[in-house]
Structure formats: structure tokens, C-alpha cells
Amino acid sequence: MKVIMDLCVVPLGVGVSVSKYVVACHEVLDKAGLKTQLHAYGTNIEGEWDEVMAAVKACHTKIHEMGAPRITTTLKMGTRIDRDQSMLDKVESVVRQQAEGT
Amino acid sequence: MKVIMDLCVVPLGVGVSVSKYVVACHEVLDKAGLKTQLHAYGTNIEGEWDEVMAAVKACHTKIHEMGAPRITTTLKMGTRIDRDQSMLDKVESVVRQQAEGT
Amino acid sequence: MKVIMDLCVVPLGVGVSVSKYVVACHEVLDKAGLKTQLHAYGTNIEGEWDEVMAAVKACHTKIHEMGAPRITTTLKMGTRIDRDQSMLDKVESVVRQQAEGT
Amino acid sequence: MKVIMDLCVVPLGVGVSVSKYVVACHEVLDKAGLKTQLHAYGTNIEGEWDEVMAAVKACHTKIHEMGAPRITTTLKMGTRIDRDQSMLDKVESVVRQQAEGT
């Protein structure tokens, strides 16, 4: 089962700046060979369910190892069985309709 | 690694009423032996990371089998390594302070 | 327009314990006269859109005043125009089907 | 109070394809003069709290007018009082550290 995910990992108890933890999390996702796209409030990820979920767990483990005592993560996850769809498809579907509408 | 989760599974393409899918998802969670608490906008779950995640995947699989072509799920997930904490602890911590404040 | 919301306010830069901010947020919601239900990963709120949103803003303002330099909030918000539905209706709809299924 | 938001609006009861509603929502956000960035699982928005929230309400109203009987929206919202930060700042902070790390 393929999943498209939006991942936002928030370490607590480490002050206000969390970008170094986001960087570490991206390293984990890259090592896992997952397709990712960073945005201003999280990271989109595309891949097989088990691989994506293993990477999310590895992010939590890594961030705890870096010293964060507590993490709260917000995820959105989409699966569909009617057709195959990539992150790019989702964005293009909107952009194409926007272009047609003008 | 223990996780406290808030799970909200939304099947698309099956009309406006989604409660039967929530019911099916709870059956999956119960069979997995997980501690759960239903609320008006999701379900709190407490357990070991791998068991909770396996149950979330089983929910997606089950809901697709019931005929939902597409699912979008919103999750919050908390882990901490500084101390053990249950769902009940979290609620009681707030309620106790509310009582002391009066 | 009526809304049912799930609100989870996370102050950053104030250490790992966030319950006193949750308590303060509940005081704000109570003063606003909103119907609320605390759970282990947030608070359900029911009310008119503008009143609920004003209260969410008041929670951010209050928590910043208490000293939190940064806040990240996760919200789920449901509106519907086909029929009226309360938080209690949503829970009861699931519980009733669970009872019928046994 | 400035807010950086991640908005994901999901209409229910209109089938599996929701892109035309996303397009309509972007028109609402553009008319409101807000800075936005579409991604594969939502839209980042930056602006003054009241203007952003008014636009989110206008999205719900518009999507209901288009015929969606029910909407469930997931939001992430960040505010901070320690310093000014844009969506671009957030992304650049991560990208810069990634470049330095290589």
C-alpha cells in the first residue's frame, strides 16, 4: 500500500529553534531512499507504507538521541486504491485547473 | 518506544456518513489489544509504537476493503523518554490543576 | 456556521511540561461560554465559527502572555450544512453502532 | 499577531476527487491577498491572524456553496513573539543547515 504523507515533527524541551531536528529528520528520510518535499510547515513524503512508517519511527528515535526529551508529531496520510497518484500528480491537478480557469 | 496517538481516519468517496468506518476501525484497534478512548473528533490510542502503527495500517486496509476508494488520516503522535506517561496521566494533570485553581 | 473543532495547542520554548498552558486555554474557552471536552491529545470544542475562532486566538494571546515565545497548534474543524450535529451526536453514532454490532 | 498556517480542506460527500475545491479555495486565498504556497498535502499561508482566519472561513463557505455538504479541515498554525519569521525563513533555515552539513 502506497502512502502520501505530510510529516511535521515538533521536539519539546529543546527551546524555540527546531530546524536542526528537521535537518536530522530529512537525513533519515533521505537515507531511507524516500521521495520528499520540504515546505514551510512540514515535509511531504511518498512511498510504500511500511518504509515511510519505518522512517517516521527512525526520525523519532534520532531526535530523542539528539537530546529531545519529548516529541509531538502531526501527520496527514493519504492512501487510495482507485488509482495510483504521486505527490506531483496532486499538485499538478490543482495547477492545471488553475491555468484552465484563467 | 511507547506512543500516545490521536487518530482520525476519513474515508472519501463514500458519502457524508463515516461512522460505520470508525466503528470498523475500533474493532481493529480492540482486536489489537490497544487501549483506546473515542472522542468527538478521533480516537486516542496508547501502546507500543509498532503495535499502534500496525493497527493504523490495519484500519486503512479494513476501510479500503469495506469499499472506500480513498482515505485521508490525520494523526498526532507523542513520544517521550524523560518519563512514562499514559493518556490518563495527561488528562489528570490538567484536571488536577483546574481543581487547584478554583 | 457551526463548527466542531479539535484543538491541540503546543507552546515551544517552555520546557517539556505544557499542562499549565492547557489549563489556561481551557479557562479562556470556558469564559467564552463554549462547550468543550478535554481528551488526552487535545480538546473538542463546539460552537459558532466566529466565537470558536475568537477563543482560539485568545488562547494563543494568553499563552504568549504567560511567556511562551512560540506556539504551534494543530486543529481539526468540521462543518456541515446537510444537518445539525453535536459532539455528542458524533460519539453516540459510533457507540450505538458498536452496541448493535455485538 | 502574524500566523504561518498549513491548511488542508477535505470536502466529504462529493466523491474522491477534491482538486476543484482546492482550486476554489486558492481563489479565495488569492482574493484575500494572502501569500500562499501549494504543496502535495495542503497549502501554506502567511499573514495576519484575522485575515488568514477570515479566508479559511471564506473557503468553508465557498466549498459548501459549491455543493459539499460536509467539510473536515486540518490546520497547523504557528505564532511567535520572539522574532519575525516568514514561510521562506523556515524553509531556508533548514536548507542552509543541510548545505552546511554536506
Side-chain angles (χ1 to χ4, degrees):
Chain A
M1 185 161 52
K2 200 179 142 187
V3 65
I4 294 180
M5 177 185 281
D6 181 56
L7 171 68
C8 178
V9 177
V10 179
L12 299 182
V14 294
V16 291
S17 181
V18 301
S19 55
K20 76 170 177 176
Y21 302 94
V22 175
V23 170
C25 188
H26 267 259
E27 287 172 4
V28 168
L29 299 170
D30 287 346
K31 270 185 200 160
L34 294 168
K35 199 174 292 184
T36 63
Q37 182 62 53
L38 176 72
H39 62 79
Y41 221 133
T43 300
N44 294 158
I45 311 171
E46 177 183 327
E48 282 301 312
W49 181 289
D50 290 342
E51 292 169 28
V52 173
M53 288 303 174
V56 172
K57 186 183 180 185
C59 285
H60 269 245
T61 302
K62 175 73 180 173
I63 290 170
H64 281 312
E65 283 171 1
M66 291 170 72
R70 188 176 185 180
I71 303 170
T72 184
T73 286
T74 301
L75 285 184
K76 289 174 284 192
M77 303 192 303
T79 59
R80 58 193 309 172
I81 56 171
D82 56 338
R83 65 182 182 89
D84 198 47
Q85 189 183 39
S86 67
M87 297 190 296
L88 188 60
D89 291 336
K90 291 184 73 174
V91 171
E92 284 185 346
S93 171
V94 172
V95 171
R96 192 170 48 243
Q97 287 179 60
Q98 285 174 325
E100 287 167 356
T102 56
Chain B
M1 187 161 52
K2 200 179 140 185
V3 65
I4 294 180
M5 177 184 281
D6 182 55
L7 171 68
C8 179
V9 177
V10 178
L12 300 182
V14 294
V16 291
S17 181
V18 301
S19 56
K20 76 171 177 177
Y21 302 94
V22 175
V23 170
C25 188
H26 267 258
E27 287 173 4
V28 169
L29 299 170
D30 286 347
K31 271 184 198 160
L34 295 167
K35 199 175 292 183
T36 62
Q37 182 61 52
L38 175 71
H39 61 79
Y41 221 131
T43 300
N44 294 159
I45 311 171
E46 177 184 326
E48 283 301 311
W49 181 289
D50 290 343
E51 292 170 28
V52 173
M53 289 304 175
V56 172
K57 185 182 180 187
C59 284
H60 270 245
T61 302
K62 175 71 182 174
I63 290 170
H64 281 312
E65 283 170 3
M66 291 170 72
R70 187 176 186 180
I71 304 171
T72 184
T73 286
T74 301
L75 285 184
K76 290 174 284 193
M77 304 192 303
T79 58
R80 60 193 307 173
I81 57 172
D82 56 336
R83 66 182 182 87
D84 197 48
Q85 189 183 39
S86 68
M87 298 191 295
L88 189 59
D89 293 335
K90 290 184 74 174
V91 170
E92 283 185 346
S93 171
V94 172
V95 171
R96 193 171 49 244
Q97 287 178 59
Q98 286 175 324
E100 286 167 356
T102 55
Chain C
M1 186 162 50
K2 200 180 141 186
V3 65
I4 294 179
M5 177 184 282
D6 181 54
L7 171 68
C8 179
V9 177
V10 179
L12 300 181
V14 294
V16 291
S17 180
V18 301
S19 56
K20 76 170 177 178
Y21 302 95
V22 175
V23 170
C25 188
H26 267 258
E27 287 172 4
V28 168
L29 298 170
D30 287 346
K31 270 184 201 160
L34 294 167
K35 199 174 291 184
T36 63
Q37 182 63 51
L38 176 71
H39 61 79
Y41 222 132
T43 300
N44 294 159
I45 310 170
E46 177 184 326
E48 283 301 313
W49 181 288
D50 291 342
E51 292 169 28
V52 173
M53 288 305 175
V56 172
K57 186 183 181 187
C59 283
H60 269 245
T61 302
K62 174 73 181 173
I63 290 170
H64 281 312
E65 284 171 0
M66 291 170 72
R70 187 175 185 180
I71 304 170
T72 184
T73 286
T74 301
L75 285 184
K76 290 174 284 190
M77 304 191 303
T79 58
R80 58 193 308 173
I81 56 171
D82 57 336
R83 65 182 182 89
D84 196 47
Q85 188 183 41
S86 68
M87 297 191 296
L88 188 58
D89 292 336
K90 290 184 74 174
V91 171
E92 283 185 345
S93 171
V94 172
V95 171
R96 192 170 49 243
Q97 286 177 60
Q98 286 175 325
E100 287 166 356
T102 56
Chain D
M1 186 162 49
K2 200 179 141 186
V3 66
I4 294 180
M5 177 184 281
D6 181 55
L7 172 69
C8 179
V9 177
V10 179
L12 300 181
V14 294
V16 291
S17 180
V18 300
S19 56
K20 76 171 177 177
Y21 302 95
V22 175
V23 171
C25 188
H26 267 259
E27 288 173 3
V28 168
L29 298 170
D30 287 346
K31 270 185 199 160
L34 294 167
K35 199 175 294 185
T36 62
Q37 181 62 51
L38 175 71
H39 61 80
Y41 221 131
T43 300
N44 293 159
I45 311 171
E46 177 184 327
E48 283 301 312
W49 181 289
D50 290 343
E51 291 169 28
V52 173
M53 289 304 174
V56 172
K57 186 182 179 186
C59 284
H60 270 245
T61 302
K62 175 72 180 174
I63 291 169
H64 281 312
E65 284 171 1
M66 290 170 72
R70 188 177 184 179
I71 304 170
T72 183
T73 286
T74 301
L75 285 184
K76 290 175 282 192
M77 303 191 303
T79 58
R80 58 193 309 173
I81 56 172
D82 56 337
R83 65 182 182 88
D84 197 46
Q85 189 183 38
S86 68
M87 297 191 294
L88 189 59
D89 292 335
K90 291 184 74 174
V91 171
E92 284 185 344
S93 172
V94 172
V95 171
R96 193 171 47 242
Q97 287 178 60
Q98 285 175 326
E100 287 166 357
T102 57

